[in-house]
């Protein structure tokens, strides 16, 4: 699980986890710590709704769900709930997408990993200059939209209660996300 210098690598960690992760679990490695979350129905319904709305504007090849992408920082490999990659995005020689090609990320909060979505993941996305980051929180019944990444944070944050519309028309995403059917936990 280490490279030639004895350093732990994301590739080795994910390779090991692929053999042992139970079906129905999502795996993220955040700052070197492994997090496994079961896909709950509420969580999946929100992911599917976001994915479906993105698909009204973007081709399937650009919209990803639970696909590993490595981000800046120490051992950050995330299987983001929903990701939009640029039109010119291509996988690297290892078959991975580059965080430099990510235009939008949506994370749906799980009880045990909420701190990651609002903390180290937010920082990693901002460091990677992901232009638009959305956190959908079924426990609070709110979406938080982060835009304008700069120096490891986002300059703009907008909060919208479930039932309202998340206006992303002035961002790279260029659409309004309707949250009226997002379930709550």
């Amino acid at each position: 699980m280490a490279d030639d210098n004895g350093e732990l690598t994301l590739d080795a960690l994910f390779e090991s986890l692929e053999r042992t992760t139970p079906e129905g679990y999502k795996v993220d490695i955040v700052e070197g710590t492994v997090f496994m979350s079961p896909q709950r129905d509420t969580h999946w319904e929100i992911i599917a709704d976001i994915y479906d709305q993105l698909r009204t504007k973007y081709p399937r090849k650009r919209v990803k769900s639970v696909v590993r992408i490595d981000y800046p920082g120490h051992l950050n490999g995330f299987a983001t709930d929903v990701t939009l990659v640029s039109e010119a995005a291509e996988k690297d020689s290892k078959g991975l997408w580059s965080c430099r090609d990510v235009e939008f990320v949506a994370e749906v909060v799980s009880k045990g990993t909420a701190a990651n979505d609002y903390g180290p993941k937010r920082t990693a996305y901002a460091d990677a200059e992901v232009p638009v980051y959305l956190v959908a929180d079924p426990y609070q019944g709110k979406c938080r939209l982060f835009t304008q990444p700069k120096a490891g944070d986002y300059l703009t944050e907008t909060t919208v209660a479930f039932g309202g519309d998340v206006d992303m028309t002035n961002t790279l995403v260029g659409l309004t996300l309707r949250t009226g059917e997002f379930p709550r936990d």
Side-chain angles (χ1 to χ4, degrees):
M1 288 235 273
D3 64 12
D4 294 337
N5 300 325
E7 293 287 321
L8 195 60
T9 68
L10 282 171
D11 289 340
L13 279 169
F14 274 108
E15 203 172 288
S16 174
L17 290 166
E18 285 173 5
R19 292 189 300 269
T20 59
T21 302
E23 190 172 326
Y25 277 75
K26 172 187 163 184
V27 175
D28 284 317
I29 300 174
V30 181
E31 297 179 330
T33 302
V34 176
F35 292 89
M36 285 190 198
S37 304
Q39 290 288 47
R40 298 180 54 242
D41 190 56
T42 299
H43 193 260
W44 173 244
E45 288 295 325
I46 295 171
I47 291 169
D49 200 342
I50 294 168
Y51 181 91
D52 288 347
Q53 290 184 60
L54 286 172
R55 285 283 295 121
T56 65
K57 181 172 181 170
Y58 298 102
R60 180 174 287 120
K61 69 179 186 169
R62 290 189 57 196
V63 184
K64 309 297 174 190
S65 182
V66 193
V67 173
R68 172 188 165 193
I69 298 176
D70 297 344
Y71 285 90
H74 178 68
L75 295 176
N76 282 326
F78 309 150
T80 307
D81 290 325
V82 181
T83 302
L84 176 67
V85 296
S86 70
E87 193 169 343
E90 292 185 19
K91 292 180 185 178
D92 66 16
S93 61
K94 294 190 285 184
L96 299 175
W97 298 99
S98 170
C99 66
R100 291 181 305 278
D101 293 324
V102 174
E103 295 181 345
F104 168 80
V105 166
E107 293 283 10
V108 180
V109 170
S110 295
K111 241 180 205 170
T113 61
N116 289 338
D117 296 329
Y118 291 116
K121 281 185 167 185
R122 175 179 158 174
T123 300
Y125 296 141
D127 281 341
E129 297 183 354
V130 172
V132 184
Y133 174 41
L134 178 79
V135 177
D137 190 330
Y139 303 100
Q140 294 181 11
K142 296 178 182 174
C143 286
R144 294 170 82 183
L145 180 68
F146 301 96
T147 58
Q148 298 180 300
K150 185 170 183 168
D153 203 357
Y154 286 92
L155 300 179
T156 304
E157 178 181 339
T158 305
T159 302
V160 176
F162 281 14
D165 293 341
V166 180
D167 183 359
M168 297 184 287
T169 56
N170 292 324
T171 71
L172 214 53
V173 180
L175 61 78
T176 298
L177 182 72
R178 309 211 184 293
T179 68
E181 294 186 21
F182 285 12
R184 290 191 62 160
D185 254 344

